[in-house]
Each structure stands twice: as C-alpha cells, then as structure tokens.
C-alpha cells in the first residue's frame, strides 16, 4: 500500500481513508516472467527451470553469479546418524529430478513485484515466490514446501562470479570468518557449518550475503555459497520433515564487506518484521542508539521487579562509544550480569546515557523508568 517509516523500537500511526484516492509512487520497479528489476539491481530468471540466471548490481556494475542459482537435491543418509549428520560425500550423490510446473508474475505494484515458481521433486511440491521491492537491493525468496520424500538433502546454491578465501557467518552476538579453502584436516571437516541469520562472501570489491529467517546450516567454497533448506531423515522419527514447511531467505548483493552493507541489521529486519497493531498509537521511539554497529539483543521486564533489562552488543568487531536514549527517562541505571543482578551504578543525564563497547562486546543494563512510566 505505502512505504512505512517506523522508528526504532517504536510505533507509527497511519490513517487509512476509505475512497481517499491512491497515492502515486514513481519507481523503476519492473517485473516480467524472466526478470525483476529496480533502481539498484537486475535479476534475470530462467523460464525453463525457474533458476536465477544472473544478479546484476547497478551500483557496482558487477554480475554476482558465475552460473545459475537454484535448488539442489542430494541423496543423504547421514554419516553416523540420520538426523544429526550430513554425509561428507553427499555432493557426489546429486538428484536431478526437478520439474518446473509453472512460473508466473503474481505481483506487479510500484512498491513490490514478485514472480512465483512452482517445481515438483518426486512426490514433493516446492513453491517459491521471488520478491523485489522498490529501491532495495535484496531479493526475497519466500518458500513453501509440501515435502513427501525421505533421505533427501535440499540446498539453495549460489555460484559466485568472484572468489573469496573466507566466508563470514553470524554467531551469537558476533561473527566468525571460516576458510573456504579446505587445505587442512580441520577445514575439511567443516563441510557444513552453523550460522544464525546470515552468511556472507566478499572479494574483489563485491559481495553477496545470504540471509534467512530459520535455516542455520551453510557450506562454502571459494566461488560458491549454499544454504541448507531441508534434510529428511527417517530416524529417530519415520516422518521427520514430512509435511508443510514455510520460510524465507534473501540475497543481498553489495559492493563493500558485510559491515559496510549493514548485513547484521538486514538479518534482524528479516527475522523481526514490524507488526500491524490496529490501534490508535502515538508515533515515537522507545529506544534510540546513535551507533550503527550497536544492536539491541533484548529489552524486557526484569524477572523480579519493576525494573527493565536492556542488553546491547557491538556487531562489527570494532570498538565504539554510543549514546542510548530512552523515551520515558531514567530513574536508576546499573550494569548487570546475565542473571540480571546489579553490578555497578552508571551515570545518566535525564533520558540518556553513554557507554563504550569493545569489539563484539555484550553489555547488560538494568534500569527503572520514572514511577509515572512504570
């Protein structure tokens, strides 16, 4: 309907007027069966397979893919256990049984456009809706699976046009770089690695981040990044992973490293979507932080009393000083441990305080609003 600008940890109200007329939006958003395009990226699609043929970043004038990006299936029965292991030799057992059932434009507005691709794999149906928004480089891939097959590992593969010696993965309250060149026994043992909201590969002035809202297994080679979508074992439960699945992952091309592309924030945005409240709310932000590389990990009531717990962490591995502003003011403020126990008092001025972070540091604060806000 319209682009909403929502303040941090806050609310914004819009009045929807019946028969009030539709606002006019001017954008470069274009959609056809074989392409999605906006002002920053061009995505070319293969109408024979439903794969992504190419992603062109207009900002860097670079193509991101060296080959079509799409779904891959492998026969996988685990190395030792069905559900908890992926066979190190799974890549030698590909399954080429995809059939494109349909491919059509399902959304063509000035703010968002989408192409829906329906594939069949044996007894399973895979529906993917590729969405592009106006002026946004991210390609969102909403996926719905009716999965009815077993011993199958499903991955989304992204062959890259550049080479990267390391891939960076999000871990709890930080990020870790792992080698994509399996020269040592330790590196070779990491044919599948865990990550949280995103993984990124960057090199030669260009990069691609793969973000997800619930899938946490990746693998990487110097010129390819893959996200694991599904593993369908039969032990310890014979119907594991059978049935309906729904999730979203997205591709974020960029011309800098993952820090410059704000990949951490994009990952949070994909996982923490704004909620439509349907009430009469005042516009405002409960909490503001002036450093781009400090993120809210938790804002919650204390388990014991009227106090509040604020947990922040530094995301880029760089020391920073930031000012935190609380809309309702501050009555008392202390640092706290992970059990929410006070450590020491922190100076504050009215509704704000300043804190310093070491690289990837996690800090917890315990505070109270004035009585009128409690």
């Amino acid at each position: 309907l319209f682009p909403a600008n929502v303040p941090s940890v806050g609310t914004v109200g819009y009045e929807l007027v019946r028969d009030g007329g539709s606002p006019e939006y001017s954008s470069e958003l274009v959609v056809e069966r074989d392409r999605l395009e906006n002002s920053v990226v061009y995505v070319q699609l293969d109408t024979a397979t439903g794969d992504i043929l190419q992603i062109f970043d207009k900002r860097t004038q670079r193509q991101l893919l060296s080959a079509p990006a799409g779904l891959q299936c492998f026969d996988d029965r685990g190395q030792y256990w069905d559900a908890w292991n992926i066979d190190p030799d799974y890549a030698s057992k590909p399954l080429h049984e995809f059939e494109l059932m349909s491919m059509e434009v399902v959304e063509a507005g000035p703010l968002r456009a989408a192409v829906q691709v329906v594939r069949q794999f044996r007894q399973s149906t895979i529906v993917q809706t590729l969405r592009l928004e106006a002026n946004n480089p991210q390609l969102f891939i909403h996926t719905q699976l009716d999965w009815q097959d077993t011993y199958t590992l499903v991955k989304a593969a992204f062959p890259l046009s550049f080479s990267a010696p390391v891939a960076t993965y999000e871990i709890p309250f930080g990020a870790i770089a792992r080698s994509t060149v399996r020269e040592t026994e330790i590196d070779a043992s990491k044919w599948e690695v865990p990550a949280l909201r995103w993984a990124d590969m960057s090199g030669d002035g260009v990069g691609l981040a793969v973000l997800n809202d619930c899938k946490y297994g990746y693998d990487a080679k110097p010129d390819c990044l893959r996200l694991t979508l599904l593993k369908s074992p039969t032990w310890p439960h014979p119907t594991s992973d059978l049935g309906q699945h729904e999730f979203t992952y997205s591709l974020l091309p960029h011309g800098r490293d993952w820090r410059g592309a704000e990949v951490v924030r994009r990952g949070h945005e994909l996982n923490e979507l704004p909620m439509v409240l349907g009430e009469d709310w005042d516009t405002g932000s409960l909490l503001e932080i002036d450093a781009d590389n400090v993120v809210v990990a938790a804002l919650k009531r204390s388990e014991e009393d009227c106090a509040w717990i604020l947990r922040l962490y530094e995301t880029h591995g760089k020391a920073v000083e930031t000012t935190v502003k609380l809309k309702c003011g501050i009555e008392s403020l202390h640092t706290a441990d992970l059990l929410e126990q006070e450590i020491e008092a922190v100076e504050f001025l009215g509704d704000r305080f300043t804190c310093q972070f070491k690289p990837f540091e996690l800090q917890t604060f315990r505070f109270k609003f004035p009585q009128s806000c409690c």
Side-chain angles (χ1 to χ4, degrees), residues 200-231:
D200 179 88
M201 290 180 66
S202 304
D204 193 25
V206 68
L208 180 70
V210 178
L211 304 92
N212 76 90
D213 68 356
C214 64
K215 301 297 177 181
Y216 308 117
Y218 289 84
D219 75 274
K221 295 181 179 180
D223 59 354
C224 186
L225 181 61
R226 296 192 296 193
L227 172 66
T228 300
L229 304 182
L230 182 74
K231 177 178 169 65

Coordinates of all heavy atoms in Angstrom, one line a residue, residues 200-231:
D200 N 28.1 -14.5 4.6 CA 28.5 -13.5 3.6 C 29.8 -14.0 3.0 O 30.7 -14.5 3.7 CB 28.6 -12.1 4.2 CG 29.1 -11.1 3.2 OD1 28.2 -10.5 2.5 OD2 30.3 -10.9 3.1
M201 N 29.9 -13.7 1.7 CA 31.2 -13.9 1.0 C 31.5 -12.6 0.2 O 30.6 -12.1 -0.5 CB 31.2 -15.1 0.1 CG 31.2 -16.4 0.8 SD 31.1 -17.9 -0.2 CE 32.8 -17.8 -1.0
S202 N 32.7 -12.1 0.4 CA 33.1 -10.8 -0.3 C 34.5 -11.0 -0.8 O 35.3 -11.7 -0.3 CB 33.1 -9.7 0.8 OG 31.8 -9.6 1.4
G203 N 34.7 -10.3 -2.0 CA 36.0 -10.4 -2.6 C 36.0 -9.5 -3.8 O 35.0 -9.4 -4.5
D204 N 37.2 -8.9 -4.1 CA 37.3 -8.1 -5.3 C 36.3 -7.0 -5.4 O 35.8 -6.7 -6.5 CB 37.2 -9.0 -6.6 CG 37.7 -8.4 -7.9 OD1 38.6 -7.4 -7.8 OD2 37.3 -8.7 -9.0
G205 N 36.1 -6.4 -4.3 CA 35.2 -5.2 -4.3 C 33.7 -5.5 -4.4 O 32.9 -4.6 -4.7
V206 N 33.3 -6.7 -4.3 CA 31.9 -7.1 -4.4 C 31.6 -8.2 -3.5 O 32.5 -8.9 -3.0 CB 31.6 -7.6 -5.9 CG1 32.4 -8.9 -6.2 CG2 30.2 -7.7 -6.2
G207 N 30.3 -8.4 -3.1 CA 30.0 -9.4 -2.2 C 28.5 -9.8 -2.2 O 27.7 -9.1 -2.9
L208 N 28.2 -11.0 -1.6 CA 26.8 -11.4 -1.6 C 26.6 -12.0 -0.2 O 27.3 -12.9 0.3 CB 26.5 -12.5 -2.7 CG 25.1 -13.0 -2.7 CD1 24.1 -12.0 -3.2 CD2 25.0 -14.3 -3.6
A209 N 25.5 -11.6 0.5 CA 25.1 -12.1 1.7 C 23.8 -12.9 1.5 O 22.9 -12.5 0.8 CB 24.8 -11.0 2.8
V210 N 23.7 -14.1 2.2 CA 22.5 -14.9 2.1 C 22.0 -14.9 3.5 O 22.6 -15.4 4.5 CB 22.9 -16.4 1.7 CG1 21.6 -17.2 1.7 CG2 23.5 -16.4 0.3
L211 N 20.8 -14.3 3.7 CA 20.1 -14.2 4.9 C 18.9 -15.2 5.0 O 18.4 -15.6 4.0 CB 19.6 -12.7 5.1 CG 20.6 -11.6 5.0 CD1 20.7 -11.1 3.6 CD2 20.3 -10.5 6.0
N212 N 18.6 -15.6 6.2 CA 17.5 -16.5 6.4 C 16.7 -16.2 7.7 O 17.2 -15.5 8.6 CB 18.0 -17.9 6.5 CG 18.7 -18.3 7.8 OD1 18.0 -18.7 8.7 ND2 20.0 -18.0 7.9
D213 N 15.5 -16.7 7.7 CA 14.7 -16.5 8.9 C 14.5 -17.7 9.8 O 13.8 -17.7 10.8 CB 13.3 -15.9 8.6 CG 12.4 -16.8 7.8 OD1 12.9 -18.0 7.5 OD2 11.3 -16.5 7.5
C214 N 15.1 -18.9 9.4 CA 15.0 -20.0 10.3 C 15.9 -21.2 9.8 O 15.7 -22.3 10.4 CB 13.6 -20.5 10.4 SG 12.8 -21.1 8.8
K215 N 16.8 -21.0 8.9 CA 17.6 -22.1 8.4 C 19.1 -21.8 8.8 O 19.6 -20.7 8.5 CB 17.5 -22.2 6.9 CG 16.1 -22.5 6.4 CD 15.6 -23.9 7.0 CE 14.2 -24.1 6.6 NZ 13.7 -25.4 7.1
Y216 N 19.8 -22.8 9.4 CA 21.0 -22.4 10.1 C 22.2 -23.3 9.7 O 23.2 -23.3 10.4 CB 20.9 -22.5 11.6 CG 19.7 -21.7 12.1 CD1 18.6 -22.3 12.7 CD2 19.6 -20.3 11.9 CE1 17.5 -21.5 13.1 CE2 18.5 -19.6 12.3 CZ 17.5 -20.2 12.9 OH 16.4 -19.4 13.3
G217 N 22.2 -23.9 8.5 CA 23.3 -24.7 8.0 C 23.8 -24.1 6.7 O 23.0 -23.9 5.8
Y218 N 25.1 -23.9 6.5 CA 25.7 -23.4 5.3 C 26.9 -24.2 4.9 O 27.5 -24.9 5.8 CB 26.2 -21.9 5.5 CG 25.1 -20.9 5.6 CD1 24.5 -20.6 6.8 CD2 24.7 -20.1 4.5 CE1 23.6 -19.6 7.0 CE2 23.8 -19.1 4.6 CZ 23.2 -18.8 5.9 OH 22.3 -17.9 6.0
D219 N 27.3 -24.1 3.7 CA 28.6 -24.6 3.3 C 29.1 -23.7 2.2 O 28.3 -23.0 1.5 CB 28.5 -26.0 2.7 CG 28.0 -26.2 1.4 OD1 26.7 -26.3 1.2 OD2 28.7 -26.2 0.4
A220 N 30.4 -23.6 2.1 CA 31.0 -22.6 1.2 C 32.3 -23.2 0.6 O 33.1 -23.9 1.2 CB 31.4 -21.3 1.9
K221 N 32.5 -22.8 -0.7 CA 33.7 -23.0 -1.4 C 34.2 -21.6 -1.9 O 33.4 -20.6 -1.8 CB 33.5 -23.9 -2.6 CG 33.2 -25.3 -2.2 CD 33.0 -26.2 -3.4 CE 32.6 -27.7 -3.0 NZ 32.4 -28.5 -4.2
P222 N 35.4 -21.5 -2.4 CA 35.9 -20.1 -2.8 C 34.9 -19.4 -3.7 O 34.9 -18.1 -3.7 CB 37.2 -20.4 -3.4 CG 37.7 -21.6 -2.7 CD 36.5 -22.4 -2.5
D223 N 34.2 -20.1 -4.5 CA 33.3 -19.4 -5.5 C 31.9 -19.9 -5.4 O 31.1 -19.8 -6.4 CB 33.8 -19.7 -6.9 CG 33.9 -21.2 -7.2 OD1 33.6 -22.0 -6.3 OD2 34.2 -21.5 -8.4
C224 N 31.5 -20.4 -4.2 CA 30.1 -20.8 -4.1 C 29.6 -20.8 -2.6 O 30.4 -21.2 -1.8 CB 29.9 -22.2 -4.7 SG 28.1 -22.8 -4.7
L225 N 28.4 -20.3 -2.4 CA 27.8 -20.3 -1.0 C 26.5 -21.0 -1.1 O 25.7 -20.7 -2.0 CB 27.7 -18.9 -0.5 CG 27.1 -18.7 0.9 CD1 28.0 -19.3 1.9 CD2 26.9 -17.2 1.2
R226 N 26.2 -21.9 -0.2 CA 25.0 -22.6 -0.2 C 24.3 -22.6 1.2 O 25.0 -22.7 2.2 CB 25.2 -24.1 -0.6 CG 25.7 -24.2 -2.1 CD 25.6 -25.6 -2.6 NE 26.5 -26.5 -1.9 CZ 26.8 -27.8 -2.3 NH1 26.3 -28.2 -3.5 NH2 27.6 -28.5 -1.6
L227 N 23.0 -22.6 1.2 CA 22.2 -22.6 2.4 C 21.4 -23.9 2.4 O 20.7 -24.3 1.4 CB 21.2 -21.4 2.4 CG 20.2 -21.4 3.5 CD1 20.8 -21.3 4.9 CD2 19.2 -20.3 3.2
T228 N 21.4 -24.7 3.5 CA 20.7 -25.9 3.6 C 19.3 -25.6 4.0 O 19.0 -24.9 5.0 CB 21.3 -26.8 4.7 OG1 22.7 -27.1 4.2 CG2 20.6 -28.1 4.8
L229 N 18.3 -26.1 3.2 CA 16.9 -25.8 3.5 C 16.2 -27.0 4.1 O 15.2 -26.7 4.9 CB 16.2 -25.5 2.1 CG 16.8 -24.4 1.3 CD1 16.0 -24.2 0.0 CD2 16.9 -23.1 2.1
L230 N 16.6 -28.2 3.9 CA 15.8 -29.3 4.3 C 16.7 -30.6 4.4 O 17.5 -30.8 3.5 CB 14.6 -29.6 3.4 CG 13.6 -30.7 3.7 CD1 12.7 -30.2 4.9 CD2 12.8 -31.0 2.5
K231 N 16.4 -31.4 5.4 CA 17.0 -32.7 5.5 C 15.9 -33.7 6.0 O 15.3 -33.4 7.0 CB 18.2 -32.7 6.5 CG 18.9 -34.0 6.7 CD 20.1 -33.9 7.6 CE 20.6 -35.2 8.1 NZ 21.2 -36.0 7.0

